[in-house]
Amino acid sequence: MTGEPDGPEDRLRRFATIWSRAVFPVTSTSLTRPELEQQLLPLARRLSDALKARTFDAAAGQAVGAALVAAHCTDPEALSRSLDCVDAYLVLYCGEDGLQEALRTRSARLQHAMAAGFAGALRERTLAEQEAISQAALNARSTVAEALHASEARFRAVFEGAAIGIGIADLEGNILQVNGALLRMFGGSEQGVRGRKVPEWTHPEDAPQVWRLYEELVRGEREHYHVEKAFYRPDGTALWTNLTVSLLRDADGRPQYQLALMEDTTERRLLNLRLRYEATHDALTGLPNRTLFFERLEKAVSGGNDQRFGLCYLDLDGFKTINDSLGHAAGDRLLVEVADRLQSCATAPGEMVARLGGDEFVALTTGPDTEREVDALADRIMNALVTPVRIDGRELTVRGSIGIVEGPAGERGPAEVLRSADITMYRAKSAGGNRFELADPEADARAITRHGLTTALPAALDRGEFFIEYQPLVHLGDGSVHGAEALVRWLHPQHGVLGPDRFIPLAEHTGLIVPLGRWVLEQSVRQACQWQERHADSGPLRINVNLSPCQLTHPGLVRDTVDILEREGLDAEALCLEVTESALIGADDDLLKPLRRLAEMGVDIALDDFGTGYSNLANLRRLPVSILKLDRSFTQGMQQFPADPVDLKIVEGIVSLAHSLDLAVTVEGVETGAQAEQLRILGCDTAQGWYYARPGPPDRLHELALVDATG
């Protein structure tokens, strides 16, 4: 038994050998089979190079197809056998391991390019033959008898030896002569072909202009025409041709004969239909793919004024978990089952289902009443997913989130419609999944704005679009300014000043929160140093800086903080880092270790938004915090007199607990004097809120501190 060829060159020669054996029986050449193999070897090498090239080059495939014609492989069967060889053996002998799916896609595109190159070269050869035949036919009737005899001999040689079908008829449509190539195309006898008149060769798929052009030619109003036309063979099958019909005139210029030249394009047409199907349908599920779907969607959204469309954008919930736990083969089988169910949901006229990729599917409906139909379509899809899918003995529950877009044609383009459906689908997924949502222009606008802000964040930091405002922290005992909390703002070129609630979640999602947080810490520490210099007599002003959960887990948190403090010359005791309570719920020792190290250096750690995280109060003992920041929700009932007694009891209990653990208490959201007085009586240490000052520039804090110092 022989094994596979060892080296790439051996494998390439093996491919060329298989190719030559396939096409040699249908090649009109004087070469031997080994000689033909030597001609095909460089073509095989060019296909191999094109298969493995970084970018697809259709010219390589076209050149190979043209070279087949140059090698006298002009029979359509030679092209068909060549494409079959490329399809079956090119990836096998010339491909690389691990890239089979991508290489098969590249191979299919090379086949398409080969067919195009073959067709182009054969058409050029056909045109050359047509010119020779037409010239011979004209010369045959315009020269003297001796020259006529020689010309007719040359015409007969071309006529009989041509690779294309040739027929001559009079102006009444009687077929006078046909060559062997035309007889082979029709698969019948010469009498069977010549026994029919030209007007009888009709076909249901004839273009409307075909017979109008014919009538103009036989009347002498047209010299020639070229069309694509189908004919019936005697066995009832279709023969597709590129048909050129020319008018032949006598010596006096009167119309006398019609000359038909036929190129058999049946195989090429079938190949194009197959390649078109493969290019527009999903290989796994057989559903239309993104390309075909966009063609249909573009047609739907650009319809008439009375037309509407409805689109359901489906994404399976938790599909990644299935792939990760059961493997991609099980995931593929699940996708095939889902595709079959979706296909059964969209069977009405104007409805289609497509797979966009991965676990994303779309269902489209068109017509005058899609407002009702699209909701019904979404209901059918959700109901179709209810029944579990059984794979490898397991029953898998299938859930999906659907975004629905419906509206009149002519108002939006396909890209805008699909983007709206995608946004709406993610809104359904964020709401818990296994549901569908209707598109909302305002929600779309917010999502688009969020996306725009996300993409603009990195450049905004580089361009210096961020700035910091400071809100004073006031000592409730004597009303002095104790310090300030640093609050970052974004001065966006289009949207103006944006608060942290608009961009901090986006920065955390993209990871930009780490460099942004480092910048805020550096700017805030530098500002605190300036305050220290200006208020040396009245005691140091502390600076509070917020830490996000992402910063807590960043390995450079302690190192960056120490570097900034040492570089700017600020004592660690003048810095307080605020961490939200929710970020520390269930925190293990690894997460708390950086905070403990900072606390040991003298940095205060404040537990922000205390009371909103449902944490165990007993955990306070193990957290390295020195300050509790009480959430504003506990003090809203104190804005008016008398204060809510329940809120008073809660705050009193929290303050008592905090002080028993040697923790200071800071209160947020103080907006009235009544609140401030109640909080002072309850024993709170510091407060901040609009009652004292809104966040503002650093000079504003300087003015407040001067008032306290001279008051």
Side-chain angles (χ1 to χ4, degrees), residues 336 449 487 540:
V336 171
T449 300
L487 300 169

Side-chain angles (χ1 to χ4, degrees), residues 542 571-576 596-605 626:
R542 300 165 58 80
D571 293 336
E573 291 77 8
L575 174 64
C576 177
R596 288 198 177 103
R597 290 181 57 190
L598 292 170
E600 291 168 357
M601 293 166 41
V603 176
D604 278 329
I605 308 297
S626 54

